[in-house]
Amino acid sequence: MNSLNNDNQDLINRPIINDSDEFSSATRNNNLNRNGTGSLGTIFLIVNATLGAGLLNFPEAFDKSGGIATAIIVQLFFLIFITSALVVLANCSDITDTCTMQNTFAGLCGPKSLIICGVCVAIYSFGCCLTFLIIIGDQFDRVFATFYGMDYCHNWYLSRPFITSVTALVFILPLSFFKRLDVLSYASSIGCLTIIYVVWMVIYECFIDNKFSKKTIHIWPGTLTEPLQIVPIICFAYQSHMTAIPTYACMKERQLSKFSWCAIISMIICFFAYSIVGTFGYMTFGAGNVPSDILQGYTDKSATLTIAIIAVAVKNFTTYPIVLYCGRDAFMGLLGWDIDTHVVSRIILTLVWFFLTLVIAILVPDITPVINLLGSLSAAFIFLFPGICLLQSTLKRDPQLFMNKNRVMIFLSVIITALGAFVCGIVFVEALQDLMMRQSSLKKTLVSSLRISLGKSLCV
């Protein structure tokens, strides 16, 4: 009887390795002989992938959620699941011996799921890259409109299409061809430093001339449905799960315990950054007056603000290649291309991806509908995919559920998956409602809000 129990215990604890090349990107080398990022580089990659476009929308999210306390509490609630999902994905990548989300999902759920997850990753990555370029264009528009004049775009060398194209070609495209994610850890460190300045600037703008004392702010919501308004922006802002497995695969010492600490520290950093910007940005403009892009709401012509605007652009320069890496890898996986052998195809796909997002970004004036629609997929990456992966990995390790801890894991996976389905539904409905409202009022765009805030008309 003891021998039988020992055999069952060995079966439960034995890792699940999928031998099919279809589900595995590459077999991991010995940790002592591999190159990659250390713990600090991993934190930079996670923080840089997480802190992005959502930072500019968080003050408006605080306003819509009904108050400061509500927004912080809702954040903390979701942050527990968000951080846990990062660890779950890393653990599942160890179980299946894979290096991307779509391959991990396929290794646990079968080959058909590879297509579903791969398509989701590709669509979300493309949307994020599009958003980053839109934000870059917004920041330069603001700088030129403030310091050059409202007719700046009559000069072709200051126009949005030209400036966005040139800066993207110079700063983004050269970083987009790498086949390993760890190379981008150095650029990510620069992106993280720029965010520190932006956070400081928002605090400074709040206290200058005691702006916060003249505004009406709320602490708690007036209705029970108001806290749900912050859910889409939380899902979009904290979504780094798509890059979690590639980041984990690039660690020099690929150990789940080290990655877990890196994920926890990274999410704490992001929480404080989002909360500080959300709180002080909301206090600066007051209830009902917060712009969708916080930096576009400031009207002063100070060097402090100008540096912050440029810092946001630099931050998006460093984040775009990370997201492109994940989307390109997913697309190549759907086509059956290997990243090492199909070098020319990888380069061509990178160029097509880059120029397609660039053209679309030049033609789209507002980022809010994009963020809301992507929030639905973000919820799937944060909750649905990790929940399903946790369920499948637990059942494959212990089909009979001999161990109590595995029974708890099954319960948690069901909770996470159910929460994910609920959040996806909420985010999608809110996104559709917002899109319909904007279609009925086409003048409510980022450009028109700039006209109002600056008191003049921008040439378009």
Side-chain angles (χ1 to χ4, degrees):
M1 181 66 67
N2 291 334
S3 175
L4 180 60
N5 290 334
N6 290 335
D7 291 340
N8 287 334
Q9 187 68 24
D10 291 339
L11 178 62
I12 293 171
N13 293 328
R14 186 182 301 129
I16 303 168
I17 304 296
N18 195 322
D19 295 329
S20 174
D21 292 336
E22 183 179 4
F23 302 142
S24 180
S25 297
T27 303
R28 297 188 303 272
N29 298 324
N30 188 290
N31 284 338
L32 297 176
N33 299 324
R34 56 185 280 126
N35 296 320
T37 58
S39 297
L40 185 60
T42 302
I43 292 174
F44 280 141
L45 282 171
I46 297 175
V47 172
N48 193 36
T50 306
L51 286 174
L55 188 70
L56 304 179
N57 295 82
F58 240 82
E60 184 187 37
F62 269 54
D63 184 21
K64 289 183 176 180
S65 66
I68 296 175
T70 307
I72 293 177
I73 292 174
V74 173
Q75 266 193 99
L76 288 173
F77 172 77
F78 280 100
L79 199 60
I80 297 173
F81 296 96
I82 290 170
T83 308
S84 301
L86 289 172
V87 179
V88 167
L89 289 173
N91 182 51
C92 289
S93 72
D94 277 342
I95 293 174
T96 56
D97 193 25
T98 52
C99 298
T100 63
M101 173 177 279
Q102 60 271 16
N103 288 331
T104 299
F105 197 70
L108 293 171
C109 303
K112 292 183 179 180
S113 61
L114 175 67
I115 300 176
I116 298 175
C117 188
V119 170
C120 291
V121 170
I123 292 175
Y124 184 83
S125 300
F126 188 87
C128 284
C129 291
L130 173 62
T131 304
F132 295 145
L133 293 177
I134 292 173
I135 293 175
I136 291 171
D138 291 341
Q139 307 318 309
F140 284 111
D141 275 352
R142 173 59 197 275
V143 172
F144 296 143
T146 302
F147 290 96
Y148 187 88
M150 310 314 295
D151 295 330
Y152 69 95
C153 55
H154 289 162
N155 300 301
W156 63 269
Y157 52 87
L158 295 180
S159 64
R160 182 189 185 107
F162 180 78
I163 292 297
T164 304
S165 301
V166 170
T167 54
L169 284 168
V170 173
F171 297 108
I172 294 179
L173 188 59
L175 297 175
S176 301
F177 295 101
F178 295 110
K179 66 176 183 178
R180 285 183 57 85
L181 197 59
D182 54 332
V183 181
L184 299 175
S185 62
Y186 302 101
S188 296
S189 62
I190 298 175
C192 294
L193 293 176
T194 61
I195 289 299
I196 295 176
Y197 180 84
V198 174
V199 172
W200 173 84
M201 192 280 305
V202 173
I203 299 174
Y204 173 79
E205 286 287 339
C206 179
F207 283 98
I208 189 173
D209 297 330
N210 293 323
K211 292 179 181 178
F212 64 93
S213 62
K214 306 172 186 177
K215 307 296 181 180
T216 301
I217 60 173
H218 299 138
I219 304 298
W220 300 102
T223 63
L224 295 177
T225 59
E226 282 186 330
L228 297 178
Q229 298 293 321
I230 198 177
V231 174
I233 192 64
I234 288 179
C235 292
F236 182 80
Y238 281 98
Q239 205 300 108
S240 59
H241 298 66
M242 182 180 62
T243 63
I245 295 177
T247 300
Y248 179 45
C250 290
M251 291 186 70
K252 186 174 183 179
E253 297 181 29
R254 182 169 172 170
Q255 298 176 7
L256 185 61
S257 58
K258 288 191 174 183
F259 179 81
S260 299
W261 279 111
C262 291
I264 292 172
I265 294 172
S266 300
M267 290 301 104
I268 291 175
I269 294 173
C270 294
F271 169 76
F272 279 106
Y274 282 131
S275 298
I276 291 172
V277 170
T279 300
F280 287 96
Y282 174 51
M283 292 171 61
T284 301
F285 294 96
N289 298 311
V290 184
S292 60
D293 184 335
I294 182 67
L295 293 183
Q296 304 299 341
Y298 301 118
T299 58
D300 53 307
K301 298 182 178 181
S302 64
T304 303
L305 178 60
T306 303
I307 295 174
I309 293 172
I310 296 175
V312 171
V314 173
K315 167 64 178 62
N316 287 279
F317 290 150
T318 62
T319 308
Y320 183 105
I322 298 176
V323 179
L324 182 147
Y325 173 91
C326 296
R328 183 188 63 198
D329 191 78
F331 199 82
M332 292 182 68
L334 292 173
L335 297 176
W337 295 347
D338 182 78
I339 193 172
D340 293 317
T341 57
H342 292 78
V343 179
V344 176
S345 299
R346 174 168 57 87
I347 295 174
I348 294 175
L349 179 58
T350 300
L351 291 172
V352 172
W353 183 291
F354 173 80
F355 285 107
L356 189 58
T357 56
L358 181 61
V359 171
I360 297 176
I362 291 173
L363 301 176
V364 178
D366 195 356
I367 65 173
T368 304
V370 178
I371 290 178
N372 289 343
L373 289 173
L374 290 178
S376 183
L377 271 181
S378 298
F381 289 130
I382 294 174
F383 301 106
L384 284 180
F385 290 146
I388 295 172
C389 286
L390 179 60
L391 176 66
Q392 290 294 107
S393 62
T394 304
L395 290 176
K396 288 191 175 184
R397 279 182 177 273
D398 185 7
Q400 303 300 323
L401 297 180
F402 289 109
M403 302 182 67
N404 290 329
K405 70 174 184 179
N406 289 330
R407 297 172 186 170
V408 173
M409 291 298 175
I410 292 294
F411 177 76
L412 290 177
S413 66
V414 173
I415 295 296
I416 294 174
T417 305
L419 179 62
F422 174 72
V423 172
C424 282
I426 291 178
V427 173
F428 186 72
V429 170
E430 290 185 1
L432 289 180
Q433 290 177 347
D434 183 73
L435 189 60
M436 292 174 62
M437 291 176 60
R438 288 177 177 272
Q439 287 178 345
S440 62
S441 179
L442 295 177
K443 294 182 180 180
K444 188 179 180 181
T445 63
L446 184 58
V447 174
S448 63
S449 65
L450 263 176
R451 293 173 182 152
I452 295 173
S453 64
L454 296 176
K456 297 181 180 180
S457 296
L458 289 176
C459 54
V460 292

